[in-house]
């Protein structure tokens, strides 16, 4: 089965087409700019439902296109990114401010435009952002960041608040924008995996694997079963250490110091197991297009993981009977199912709000269809619900590794090289990482990457997060943020 | 209700004794920087130069006009691709990771510079901070791998505080600026403003391969070419990311509490 069906739509029919797709129960996943020769087009990726091919809807980009953000709010950030990096305007976008390129910065030419002859550079210095006007008296403004306390990723957060109550919250990300999508252009598809693994350090596998799957889809490579199963083991190892980190941070923000230390120590143990397995604490340098770079010594896993699992269960059990911790999570940062769906929540954030969607089950890849997996779901939509689905995902990762190990048979771990290469090939790859869905769309022309689009889980969840902060209180902010388990590197790219 | 105090006490001590004693630095089986012996290269072989994704290898011309290959660890992201592509034993995997150096030249194999001397005054000043060192971290465009390892320094296994080293919330009371990421255009301003806010004397650490050379993000419209063109760098800690032990080694090296192991690209076992 292919991964994509393609359709073209005229700009004048775009809104109608979007409306009818929504009525059919489809969900938009992302939108991006791509050039077909000198002609720019906007590509919308649409999930048509479990086990169906994704729909790639393209519209020839004119200087002005109707914004779909009113119908599909999750598309707003994609439209803003396209507006930043091209001269296309989406009329009717409800927040037409800079997103990826911050105020004060400018480009010498357009990043994806093949007709541009200028040397491409980003220059300037960041200036204060445009913010919504808050019409109330005695409102205080707090800018937090871009350099924050502790060891944290760069991001700037604006709070408009009265006393304890936050009236409005605006995250300003993309300080860390590295332009990786453009870096990948004109690279050889095999070496692109090195950069894909470095889009997000703690998402090495979900990014690296989605990239490999996309290239393999474009080049029609058959990955040997053993390599597919070993990739599942890598992906679930990533889920384990990320979720242990999550509980450590949640304990930290609820001032449960010993709980924080326990979580951090368990995460350290998981990273040391990663090193034993692959030679790298973040599981880097194992993936390759077509399979893996080398076979993995999985014999060490059963003992190490059963000890870690026992201690992780004991840790989660202890947290679940700690009243001071639970009290801070119950009712904090409530996200309704409707808002989660419309604004694009993914992974544990969606699962905590009752949305039962998981790419490992609904669009299985890398032999997940051979493994038995329950999607954890809660309907509360609060920090407690998000932590509970994370806890279940953590425990089920151990089980998935066990299942995958049992299916392993001695075999090759790399696909045979393709005999012939088409002049033009498109591919789509996706993974369900610890934070949710990650998509890579690639176009390969004459053996080189022409366009790579990256959609990280956190890009989706950052869009949703502010909606749970408005009208909440300052005391709960850090807990709410920790309960979303966001990263910035993948979102900024 | 869980009694976390008792639970914590029952868990006992879990902190490694390294680097004071013992070998348990938490890096078992981590693949480190490749060792490079250019004298074992095949004549005119350029495999590593062609395969390296970050252009860490280059050719240089010697006194007799013969070309040889040089390796810059300041561009190395430990991806091990060169080891796999090397037709001889000139490049081999190793477990060597604590590559923190006071001089950028020390990261280069075959540079011919062996810079054991360093600025004596700076060295005397930095040893004042032997007992207590406060670090302000700035993420100038990293992938979050370095942040994850810096956060790991405070976990019970490494327990950085036992060494008298602390992260500070503000640059105003920091002794060291520890920078991660290649310094992308949008982070240049915030980085320099953070440095300006620090009291003197102040030190700068480039934590990871990105802030040393920008690699692998030293291209495109929003890449960076590292810290050196913006600020004076006192310690370079290569690695993608450096392991927690490599970060500890670099922080201790700043205050002369540990020896530098890499000199002119050669590693002391």
């Amino acid at each position: 089965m292919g991964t994509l069906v393609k359709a073209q739509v005229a700009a004048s029919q775009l809104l109608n087409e979007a409306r009818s797709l929504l009525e059919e129960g489809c969900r938009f996943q992302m939108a991006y700019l791509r050039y077909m020769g000198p002609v720019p087009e906007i590509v919308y990726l649409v999930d048509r439902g479990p086990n169906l091919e994704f729909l790639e809807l393209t519209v020839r980009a004119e200087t002005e296109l109707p914004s779909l953000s009113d119908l599909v709010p999750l598309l707003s950030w994609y439209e803003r990114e396209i507006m930043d990096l091209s001269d296309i305007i989406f009329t009717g976008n409800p927040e037409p401010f800079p997103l990826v390129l911050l105020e004060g910065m400018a480009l010498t030419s357009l990043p994806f435009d093949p007709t541009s002859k200028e040397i491409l550079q980003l220059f300037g210095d960041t200036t204060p952002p445009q913010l919504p006007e808050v019409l109330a008296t005695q409102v205080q403004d707090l800018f937090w960041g871009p350099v924050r306390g502790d060891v944290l990723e760069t991001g700037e957060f604006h709070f408009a608040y009265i006393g304890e109550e936050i009236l409005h919250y605006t995250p300003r990300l993309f300080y860390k924008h590295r332009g990786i999508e453009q870096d990948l252009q004109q690279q050889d598809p095999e070496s692109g995996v090195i950069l894909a693994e470095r889009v997000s350090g703690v998402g090495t596998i979900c990014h690296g694997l989605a990239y490999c799957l996309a290239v393999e889809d474009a080049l029609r490579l058959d990955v040997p079963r053993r390599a597919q199963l070993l990739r599942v083991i890598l992906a679930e190892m990533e889920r384990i250490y990320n979720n242990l980190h999550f509980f450590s941070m949640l304990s930290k923000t609820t001032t449960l110091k010993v709980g924080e230390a326990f979580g951090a120590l368990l995460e350290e143990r998981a990273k040391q197991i990663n090193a034993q397995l692959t030679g790298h604490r973040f599981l880097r340098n194992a993936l390759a297009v077509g399979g893996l770079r080398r076979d993995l010594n999985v014999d060490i896993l059963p003992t190490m993981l059963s000890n870690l699992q026992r201690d992780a269960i004991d840790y989660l059990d202890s947290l679940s009977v700690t009243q001071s911790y639970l009290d801070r999570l119950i009712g904090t940062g409530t996200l309704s199912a409707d808002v989660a769906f419309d604004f694009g929540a993914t992974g544990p954030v969606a699962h905590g709000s009752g949305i039962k969607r998981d790419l490992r089950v609904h669009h299985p890849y890398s032999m997940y269809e051979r493994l038995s997996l329950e999607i954890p779901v809660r309907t509360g939509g609060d920090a407690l619900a998000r932590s509970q689905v994370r806890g279940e995902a953590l425990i089920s990762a151990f089980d998935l590794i066990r299942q995958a190990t049992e299916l392993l048979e001695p075999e090759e771990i790399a696909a045979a090289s393709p005999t012939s290469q088409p002049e033009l090939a498109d591919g789509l790859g996706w993974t369900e990482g610890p934070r949710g869905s990650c998509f890579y769309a690639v176009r390969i022309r004459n053996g080189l990457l022409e366009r790579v689009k990256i959609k990280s889980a956190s890009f989706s969840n950052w869009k949703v997060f502010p909606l749970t902060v408005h009208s909440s209180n300052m005391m709960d902010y850090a807990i709410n943020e920790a309960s979303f388990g966001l990263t910035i590197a993948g979102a900024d790219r | 209700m869980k009694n976390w105090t008792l639970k914590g006490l029952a868990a006992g001590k879990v902190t490694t004794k390294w680097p004071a004693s013992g070998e348990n630095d938490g890096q078992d089986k981590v693949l480190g920087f490749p060792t490079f012996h250019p004298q074992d290269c095949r004549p005119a072989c350029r495999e590593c130069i062609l395969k390296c994704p970050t252009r860490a290898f280059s050719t240089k011309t010697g006194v007799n006009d013969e070309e040889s290959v040089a390796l810059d660890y300041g561009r190395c992201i430990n991806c091990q691709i060169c080891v796999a592509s090397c037709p001889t034993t000139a490049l081999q995997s190793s477990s060597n990771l604590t590559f923190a150096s006071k001089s950028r030249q020390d990261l280069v194999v075959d540079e011919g510079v062996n810079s054991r001397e360093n600025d004596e005054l700076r060295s005397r000043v930095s040893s004042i901070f032997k007992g207590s060192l406060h670090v302000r971290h700035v993420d100038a465009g990293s992938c979050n791998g370095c942040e994850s390892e810096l956060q790991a320094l405070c976990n019970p296994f490494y327990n950085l505080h036992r060494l008298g080293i602390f992260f500070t919330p503000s640059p105003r009371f920091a002794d060291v600026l520890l920078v991660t990421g290649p310094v992308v255009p949008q982070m240049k301003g915030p980085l320099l403003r953070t440095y300006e806010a620090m009291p003197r004397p102040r030190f700068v650490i480039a934590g990871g391969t990105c802030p040393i050379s920008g690699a692998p993000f030293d291209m495109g419209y929003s890449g960076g070419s590292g810290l050196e063109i913006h600020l004076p760098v006192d310690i370079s800690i290569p690695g993608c990311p450096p392991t927690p032990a490599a970060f500890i080694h670099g922080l201790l090296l700043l205050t002369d509490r540990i020896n530098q192991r890499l000199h002119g690209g050669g590693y002391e076992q």
Side-chain angles (χ1 to χ4, degrees):
Chain A
M1 192 190 80
T3 56
L4 279 173
V5 285
K6 298 184 180 187
Q8 287 263 351
V9 64
S12 55
Q13 286 305 308
L14 187 58
L15 276 164
N16 286 336
E17 181 66 27
R19 232 175 250 123
S20 62
L21 286 170
L22 290 176
E23 276 163 20
E24 290 164 27
C26 297
R27 193 189 201 198
F28 282 78
Q29 289 293 345
M30 61 176 179
Y32 62 99
L33 173 70
R34 185 172 72 186
Y35 277 79
M36 189 63 171
V39 183
E41 54 189 24
I42 306 296
V43 184
Y44 296 91
L45 186 74
V46 183
D47 183 350
R48 301 188 302 146
N51 291 309
L52 295 173
E53 296 105 324
F54 287 87
L55 168 66
E56 187 191 280
L57 187 69
T58 49
V59 53
R60 206 183 149 121
E62 290 152 23
T63 337
E64 287 192 13
L65 280 174
S67 165
L68 294 183
S69 298
D70 267 355
L71 279 177
V72 191
L74 69 89
L75 287 177
S76 173
W77 277 23
Y78 297 95
E79 293 180 351
R80 288 170 66 188
E81 178 169 336
I82 295 167
M83 288 196 275
D84 281 355
L85 301 177
S86 74
D87 43 22
I88 297 163
I89 293 167
F90 288 93
T91 48
N93 183 298
E95 11 169 45
F97 320 112
L99 181 75
V100 174
L101 306 187
L102 303 179
E103 287 86 349
M105 304 297 295
L107 280 168
T108 51
S109 76
L110 303 176
F112 300 107
D113 185 354
T115 60
S116 169
K117 297 278 180 281
E118 310 270 320
I119 291 173
L120 181 62
Q121 253 187 328
L122 180 62
F123 66 98
D125 191 7
T126 52
T127 54
Q130 282 177 289
L131 288 167
E133 190 183 1
V134 180
L135 295 173
T137 53
Q138 300 191 331
V139 178
Q140 286 173 292
D141 283 304
L142 174 71
F143 285 93
W144 186 44
V147 177
R148 299 178 282 159
D150 274 338
V151 175
L152 291 174
E153 287 190 90
T154 295
E156 185 181 340
F157 305 99
H158 173 255
F159 300 83
Y161 67 106
I162 298 179
E164 266 297 304
E165 192 191 353
I166 302 168
L167 297 179
H168 197 273
Y169 162 82
T170 316
R172 196 190 192 199
L173 307 177
F174 302 98
Y175 274 97
K176 293 169 47 144
H177 179 57
R178 284 166 287 169
I180 299 175
E181 290 176 10
Q182 200 244 2
D183 289 349
L184 282 162
Q185 286 182 178
Q186 300 312 316
Q187 283 215 20
D188 153 31
E190 276 179 28
S191 58
V193 65
I194 294 288
L195 277 192
E197 283 185 331
R198 283 158 182 80
V199 172
S200 168
V202 295
T204 292
I205 300 299
C206 69
H207 280 268
L209 180 53
Y211 171 81
C212 288
L213 292 168
V215 173
E216 288 152 8
D217 178 39
L219 301 180
R220 305 269 174 264
L221 291 175
D222 286 321
V223 179
R225 281 169 48 116
R226 182 176 177 84
Q228 293 192 37
L229 289 165
L230 290 173
R231 286 170 165 191
V232 167
I233 293 174
L234 294 175
E236 297 304 321
M237 287 299 301
E238 184 165 276
R239 200 176 315 279
I240 290 173
Y241 86 83
N242 270 287
N243 279 322
L244 289 168
H245 178 77
F246 170 87
F247 283 102
S248 177
M249 295 310 283
L250 206 56
S251 302
K252 180 182 183 170
T253 52
T254 51
T255 61
L256 193 63
K257 285 290 178 186
V258 186
E260 176 195 352
F262 265 92
L265 184 62
L266 289 170
E267 180 195 358
E268 174 64 25
R269 278 171 56 190
K271 279 181 172 173
Q272 292 191 9
I273 297 173
N274 290 347
Q276 298 275 344
L277 183 67
T278 61
H280 200 283
R281 286 163 56 91
F282 295 86
L283 306 160
R284 277 177 181 163
N285 312 324
L287 292 171
V289 168
L292 294 179
R293 271 162 65 179
R294 59 185 173 281
D295 211 334
L296 303 179
N297 176 21
V298 291
D299 299 341
I300 56 159
L301 287 181
T303 325
M304 285 183 166
L305 287 183
S306 69
N307 289 338
L308 186 66
Q309 180 178 4
R310 183 196 61 219
D311 294 346
I313 290 175
D314 177 58
Y315 174 54
L316 292 180
D317 286 348
S318 300
L319 287 175
S320 71
V321 292
T322 302
Q323 208 56 47
S324 66
Y325 165 85
L326 298 172
D327 283 346
R328 303 296 304 274
L329 303 182
I330 297 168
T332 297
T334 307
L335 177 69
S336 73
D338 287 350
V339 175
F341 185 86
D342 288 346
F343 283 78
T346 179
V349 176
H351 299 160
S353 293
I355 298 178
K356 196 169 182 172
R357 284 184 179 233
D358 190 310
L359 290 169
R360 293 173 296 171
V361 175
H362 293 132
H363 296 279
Y365 53 91
S366 208
M367 291 189 68
Y368 270 110
E369 68 276 11
R370 295 285 305 275
L371 312 177
S372 106
L373 162 65
E374 266 304 310
I375 307 171
V377 175
R378 292 288 185 284
T379 50
D382 57 358
L384 181 68
R386 288 189 284 277
S387 74
Q388 287 170 336
V389 296
R390 287 269 194 168
E392 285 179 26
L394 166 60
I395 301 308
S396 94
F398 288 101
D399 181 47
L400 287 166
I401 292 176
R402 213 167 292 123
Q403 292 183 46
T405 314
E406 277 166 16
L407 292 175
L408 280 176
E409 281 168 27
E411 203 190 343
E412 287 296 302
I413 43 118
S417 303
T419 43
S420 66
Q421 284 208 353
E423 188 201 329
L424 182 77
D426 288 343
L428 183 69
W430 59 86
T431 52
E432 184 81 23
R435 294 175 176 77
S437 61
C438 176
F439 284 89
Y440 272 66
V442 303
R443 168 164 282 183
I444 299 169
R445 190 188 290 274
N446 298 325
L448 293 178
L449 295 168
E450 182 175 271
R451 178 75 171 101
V452 180
K453 171 62 191 172
I454 304 169
K455 200 290 284 185
S456 80
S458 288
F459 186 89
S460 305
N461 286 333
W462 269 112
K463 171 78 186 140
V464 186
F465 174 61
L467 301 164
T468 66
V469 182
H470 308 320
S471 309
S472 69
N473 66 57
M474 292 292 249
M475 295 271 285
D476 288 340
Y477 173 78
I479 299 169
N480 189 16
E481 194 194 308
S483 80
F484 268 72
L486 302 158
T487 69
I488 299 179
D492 286 7
R493 293 153 289 140
Chain B
M1 186 71 188
K2 193 74 195 175
N3 189 328
W4 284 91
T5 311
L6 283 181
K7 187 177 167 71
L9 288 171
K13 276 189 197 166
V14 293
T15 305
T16 177
K17 290 195 168 64
W18 181 89
S21 64
E23 290 291 315
N24 188 9
D25 57 5
Q27 302 184 108
D28 188 28
K29 300 282 193 300
V30 178
L31 292 174
F33 294 93
T35 56
F36 183 42
H37 299 289
Q39 62 273 22
D40 296 337
C41 287
R42 246 187 228 168
C45 173
R46 298 286 176 268
E47 275 306 306
C48 51
I49 298 179
L50 293 172
K51 292 281 164 61
C52 176
T54 61
R55 303 185 308 283
F57 294 91
S58 57
T59 52
K60 61 168 206 131
T61 312
V63 274
N64 302 330
D65 272 355
E66 24 176 86
E67 279 201 340
S68 62
V69 177
L71 164 58
D72 178 3
Y73 287 119
R75 300 191 62 85
C76 177
I77 55 168
N78 327 68
C79 74
Q80 318 293 332
I81 283 177
C82 58
V83 177
S85 72
C86 182
T88 70
T89 55
L91 278 160
Q92 284 179 323
S93 277
S94 83
S95 55
N96 306 336
L97 285 145
T98 46
F99 267 38
S101 300
K102 290 184 176 178
S103 145
R104 179 72 177 82
Q105 269 82 47
D106 276 327
L107 297 176
V108 182
V109 182
D110 222 348
E111 184 74 352
V113 180
N114 196 337
S115 64
R116 273 170 197 275
E117 89 286 351
N118 54 56
D119 186 341
E120 216 176 289
L121 179 67
R122 271 198 98 65
S123 168
R124 255 172 38 212
V125 173
S126 60
S127 19
I128 295 169
F129 296 97
K130 268 184 180 153
S132 159
L133 186 73
H134 288 252
V135 182
R136 177 61 250 170
H137 157 257
V138 172
D139 160 13
S142 97
C143 74
N144 195 23
C146 287
E147 284 66 40
S148 180
E149 294 297 53
L150 288 169
Q151 288 166 355
L153 291 178
C154 297
N155 75 32
F157 183 82
Y158 297 104
N159 186 13
L160 189 67
H161 298 178
R162 79 196 144 108
L163 300 168
I165 304 174
F166 306 89
F167 289 103
T168 70
S170 162
R172 300 242 181 250
F173 31 91
D175 310 311
V176 187
L177 188 68
L178 199 171
V179 182
T180 57
V183 191
V184 293
Q186 307 199 114
M187 273 313 291
K188 187 183 150 196
L191 170 70
L192 296 181
R193 287 192 280 278
T194 308
Y195 180 70
E196 278 314 310
M198 289 171 70
R200 292 160 182 77
R202 54 194 169 176
F203 303 92
V204 177
I205 295 180
T209 297
C210 286
I212 295 174
S213 62
F217 296 110
D218 56 340
M219 53 182 162
Y221 64 93
S222 196
S225 51
L227 199 49
E228 231 168 19
I229 55 166
H230 304 293
L231 293 174
V233 177
D234 295 284
I235 300 284
S236 301
I237 312 176
C240 186
T243 57
F247 273 120
I248 289 176
H249 177 260
L251 287 162
L252 295 178
L253 180 65
L254 177 74
T255 47
D256 287 326
R257 291 166 68 184
I258 205 164
N259 289 328
Q260 183 168 326
R261 302 180 75 171
L262 192 75
H263 293 284
Y267 190 75
E268 287 168 15
Q269 290 296 335

